[in-house]
Amino acid sequence: MGSFLATRAPWYIAGPLVGLLVVLLLWLANKPFGALGGYIEFTEWAARSRRELGWRPLFIAGVIVGGFLSVPTSSGWRPTLAYGSFDVVFGSALWRKVIVLLAAGLLIGIGGRMAGGCTSGHGVCGMSFGSPASVACTVTFMATAIACTFAIAWMSGL
Amino acid sequence: MALKTVGFLTGVAFGFIVGWARLTDYDVIRDMLLLRHLDVFLLMMSAMVTAAIGTRLLRALQLRSVLDHAPITWTTQPVQRKHVTGSVLYGIGWSLAGTCPGPVAAQLGRGQLSALFTIAGLLAGIIVHDHVRIRRPVVVPDGAGRALTAVAGL
C-alpha cells in the first residue's frame, strides 16, 4: 500500500474515486459537485453581499489541505515558483509568469462565471447529470483548450 | 455532521486525489491538451460514468439526503449562448494556465506558488464579470445593446 501511494495514481483509480465523491456529496448534502462556486461565494463574502462563508469556500480550503496531504505521494514539500515546462514555453522570468497566469486566471474567472461551471462542475458533475448546458460547455472548453495549446506549441516551437 | 464539514472533507479528498493523480502538474495538463497522453481524458470519463451510475442509483433507491432528509434531486439546464461564449474564454484560460479552479487550489497546497497568480486572476475575473453583469441592464436601444455586448464578447 505504501509503495502504491508513493507513485502517481492511475486514471482508473483516480477517476472512479472522483466520481464517488460526486455521488457522496449528493447523497450526504444533496449538492452538486464543483470547484468554481467556492471562489464565487468567496468574492461575494469579501464584497459583503454574503454574510458568512458557506460550504463551497470550505470545499476549496479542503482542496488546498488535500493537495498538501498528497505531497508524500511525490517529493517533499518544497515551496517553489517553478512551474514545469511553463517556464520553457513562456519563459521563467517572474514578470512573465505573473502576467500570463493573471491573464489566464482572469479568463477562467470571467468565462467560468459566464458558463456557470468549470472542469469539475460541468465536465464531471453536470455531464453525469446529463445537463445539456454542461455537455455544450465541456465540448466547447475542451475543443478551445486543445486548439489553444496546439497554437501555443506551434508558435513557441515546443 | 454539518454541511460545512461535509464540504471541507469532500474538498480534502478531492485535493488529495487531484494531487495524487498529478493533475496539479503543468505538463500533465499540457500533454493532455496536446493529445500526447489520453489518461486525463480517461480519468474524467471514468469519473463521469461512475457519478452517472451512482447518482441514478441514489435516485432509483429513492434515498433521502443524509443532512436534510430531502429526496435526492438535481437540476439540468438548457444550452444558452453564455455557456458557449463563457466556455471559449474558459478554455483559453485553462490552456494558458495549465490548470483550472479545482487543481489550482491543490497546487497551492503542494507548494506550487505560481497558483497564487492564477487564483488572484480567477477571483478578479469573477468580480469583473459580476460588475459587467450588474451594469448591463442599463436601457439602450435594442440593436445598439446587442452590438455592444457582441463587441465586449459578453
Side-chain angles (χ1 to χ4, degrees):
Chain A
M1 189 68 189
S3 60
F4 176 65
L5 277 170
T7 51
R8 183 182 170 200
W11 66 266
Y12 50 84
I13 302 284
L17 282 177
V18 170
L20 285 177
L21 284 180
V22 176
V23 180
L24 197 69
L25 186 63
L26 193 71
W27 178 49
L28 289 176
N30 222 350
K31 300 289 182 194
F33 189 94
L36 187 71
Y39 298 92
I40 296 171
E41 289 190 7
F42 180 79
T43 63
E44 290 169 352
W45 173 79
R48 300 276 184 273
S49 61
R50 179 178 285 272
R51 282 186 59 193
E52 61 169 339
L53 285 173
W55 72 275
R56 288 188 172 279
L58 279 163
F59 175 89
I60 296 299
V63 177
I64 298 173
V65 173
F68 175 75
L69 294 177
S70 78
V71 168
T73 68
S74 47
S75 53
W77 198 75
R78 276 179 239 100
T80 177
L81 274 166
Y83 192 33
S85 65
F86 179 97
D87 297 355
V88 185
V89 175
F90 295 101
S92 59
L94 184 61
W95 67 270
R96 285 171 180 265
K97 196 167 287 182
V98 172
I99 289 173
V100 174
L101 291 179
L102 272 179
L106 209 60
L107 288 168
I108 294 171
I110 296 173
R113 183 81 167 109
M114 269 180 86
C118 57
T119 321
S120 56
H122 275 315
V124 175
C125 184
M127 286 281 278
S128 77
F129 291 162
S131 179
S134 294
V135 177
C137 286
T138 307
V139 169
T140 307
F141 63 62
M142 283 282 182
T144 311
I146 289 168
C148 186
T149 311
F150 269 98
I152 293 167
W154 179 70
M155 285 187 288
S156 63
L158 289 163
Chain B
M1 204 167 17
L3 177 58
K4 286 180 183 179
T5 315
V6 169
F8 180 75
L9 293 178
T10 311
V12 171
F14 184 58
F16 180 84
I17 298 164
V18 161
W20 186 25
R22 306 290 184 268
L23 305 182
T24 46
D25 285 14
Y26 177 81
D27 289 83
V28 167
I29 302 304
R30 182 168 188 260
D31 286 347
M32 165 207 189
L33 294 174
L34 288 175
L35 310 178
R36 286 177 182 164
H37 299 297
L38 300 181
D39 57 320
V40 182
F41 289 108
L42 292 169
L43 190 159
M44 283 188 66
M45 272 189 262
S46 59
M48 198 253 287
V49 170
T50 307
I53 296 169
T55 51
R56 269 150 194 86
L57 208 60
L58 293 179
R59 210 161 56 172
L61 294 171
Q62 296 184 317
L63 290 180
R64 285 169 175 266
S65 98
V66 174
L67 287 182
D68 62 7
H69 312 292
I72 305 276
T73 51
W74 60 79
T75 54
T76 60
Q77 286 180 297
V79 184
Q80 292 171 269
R81 178 175 290 183
K82 65 176 185 181
H83 292 120
V84 177
T85 315
S87 293
V88 168
L89 300 178
Y90 182 89
I92 298 169
W94 180 24
S95 165
L96 288 171
T99 191
C100 50
V104 77
Q107 283 184 345
L108 191 58
R110 288 173 66 86
Q112 293 170 245
L113 301 180
S114 61
L116 290 171
F117 310 134
T118 318
I119 291 173
L122 171 50
L123 293 172
I126 292 166
I127 293 166
V128 167
H129 171 276
D130 288 2
H131 281 262
V132 170
R133 221 183 51 149
I134 288 162
R135 271 193 235 117
R136 206 187 300 167
V138 171
V139 183
V140 276
D142 198 36
R146 240 179 288 137
L148 271 174
T149 43
V151 168
L154 294 166

